[in-house]
Amino acid sequence: MIKRIQHGGLEIAIIITSGFECNGVKFVTDTSYSQQLAYMNRPVGEFIPPHYHNINERSVQLTQEVLVIRKGRLRVDFYSPEQSYIGSEELGAGDVLMLAAGGHAFKMIEPVEMIEIKQGPYAGLNDKTIFNGIPEEGVYPVSADDCIIEA
């Protein structure tokens, strides 16, 4: 399943759950994203010819990150660009999360091993703004109004 977390017409995150499958290549981002995310299911014997990527100057205004959960479980809290709480989702091993806009926080439910991919170089303290989030007792799932599910 693919879940799209949206708020006020803005896509905040995309989750590709560990059980998602389809044939071929499915891009889950469109060309407006500064980082592209695709699911690929390629058959034995298919050949991708040797290639390299050309120098192509790009302008990145917003850091978008992708997390690949290898082990464990965590909760992701989603926030609008105005820092208002949207809701939370739990992720586990094999899930992939793209954080496209807005803010986020993470609470480890089990020990977690994950891989993070984002544009670089990392700008240190200038790379992010820390703000006060929802208290633990206020956490709730992302509402159906803010979640689009694709099979």
Side-chain angles (χ1 to χ4, degrees), residues 17-19 68-74 91-96 113:
T17 63
S18 63
V68 180
I69 313 304
R70 292 178 43 122
K71 295 179 183 175
R73 294 198 65 71
L74 71 140
L91 301 178
D95 291 339
V96 176
E113 184 180 313

Side-chain angles (χ1 to χ4, degrees), residues 42-48:
R42 300 194 180 261
V44 170
E46 181 175 338
F47 179 71
I48 298 171

